[in-house]
Amino acid sequence: YRIVIIGDSQPYYMCQHLIMQELQSSTATNNLRCVQIKHTLGNETTFQAYANEFQNATENVVIFNPSGLWEAAYGSIDLFRDNFQRLLDHIPSSGSREHHHRQSFFFAPTTAVHPIVYGNLKNDDKKWSMTQVRVREINRIAERLVLNETKRRVGDTISLRVLPTPIDALSLNSEDDPKTSGDMRHFGERTNEMLLEAILCDLD
């Protein structure tokens, strides 16, 4: 596969972990690209960055999580619903592309957050709303919209579906593996390894 992973910080760190594995392998390839995009979808620059990546990606597997952690921390649930639907409209159809190779877009659910490891959450005006409840609601909305769009695309050579791997559930018990001490939203090597292994097995 040629794969691109598009998202905010955690998807990007996970992708970088895979690149490091590739570099250490005797069969290393250049078949992976990592794209990090910050801020919520309500930021028009951010929205256009995701839209451009969707429209211009040449990889045959596109895994994306559009700013799930940012939306959980700073976003509006209603605005996320509208902007996510608007973003899905930028995923090409086979009729809109000059080349007609098969391409698969996968929505990757936002991974779990663990406020328990961040001792100052209640006093942090910028992160007080970053809770697992909001992460679940964002994932629920996104998955429902993706499923609706999947039905509409039946027969298209450019497919769209929710990633089969429930990476949100798999990361629920990883509060003991933060990227750095006190980090409630990014994971260490052990968790990234587990998530990547599950994702790549699903692609096979």
Side-chain angles (χ1 to χ4, degrees):
Y1 297 107
R2 293 175 60 240
I3 302 172
V4 58
I5 298 178
I6 309 167
D8 55 18
S9 50
Q10 174 54 32
Y12 181 78
Y13 292 147
M14 188 171 62
C15 186
Q16 288 291 306
H17 181 81
L18 184 55
I19 283 182
M20 292 304 297
Q21 285 184 318
E22 282 278 296
L23 292 175
Q24 295 169 9
S25 169
S26 59
T27 58
T29 65
N30 292 315
N31 289 338
L32 177 65
R33 185 165 63 94
C34 308
V35 179
Q36 182 179 23
I37 303 174
K38 297 183 177 181
H39 301 291
T40 65
L41 294 180
N43 180 304
E44 194 58 26
T45 300
T46 296
F47 183 92
Q48 288 301 324
Y50 279 107
N52 290 339
E53 287 293 337
F54 286 4
Q55 293 170 334
N56 297 321
T58 58
E59 292 83 0
N60 56 326
V61 174
V62 180
I63 298 173
F64 67 96
N65 175 276
S67 295
L69 292 174
W70 277 84
E71 295 288 351
Y74 310 116
S76 156
I77 294 295
D78 289 336
L79 283 177
F80 173 74
R81 181 184 292 106
D82 294 342
N83 286 325
F84 189 83
Q85 179 59 64
R86 190 161 62 101
L87 187 61
L88 293 181
D89 294 338
H90 285 270
I91 296 178
S93 62
S94 55
S96 66
R97 283 272 178 91
E98 291 183 4
H99 56 285
H100 299 290
H101 68 272
R102 288 194 171 275
Q103 193 174 33
S104 298
F105 282 74
F106 293 95
F107 166 70
T110 300
T111 46
V113 296
H114 299 285
I116 192 172
V117 307
Y118 183 53
N120 197 42
L121 183 65
K122 66 180 181 180
N123 298 318
D124 190 330
D125 292 339
K126 294 183 177 180
K127 291 179 183 172
W128 67 268
S129 63
M130 184 181 274
T131 64
Q132 189 57 26
V133 173
R134 281 178 61 87
V135 168
R136 285 175 177 165
E137 180 63 9
I138 286 168
N139 283 338
R140 185 187 67 83
I141 290 169
E143 288 172 4
R144 179 181 297 173
L145 293 175
V146 168
L147 289 174
N148 289 341
E149 184 70 12
T150 298
K151 295 175 184 176
R152 193 180 70 80
R153 285 175 170 267
V154 171
D156 199 313
T157 58
I158 300 179
S159 64
L160 168 66
R161 57 194 174 114
V162 175
L163 194 70
T165 306
I167 59 176
D168 47 342
L170 287 176
S171 56
L172 273 174
N173 294 322
S174 292
E175 70 274 4
D176 62 341
D177 184 33
K179 182 175 176 61
T180 58
S181 178
D183 192 335
M184 60 184 278
R185 67 199 188 281
H186 305 131
F187 299 109
E189 291 187 5
R190 172 169 54 83
T191 299
N192 283 325
E193 182 82 23
M194 173 189 65
L195 298 177
L196 285 166
E197 183 177 349
I199 291 171
L200 295 177
C201 282
D202 274 335
L203 295 182
D204 288 339

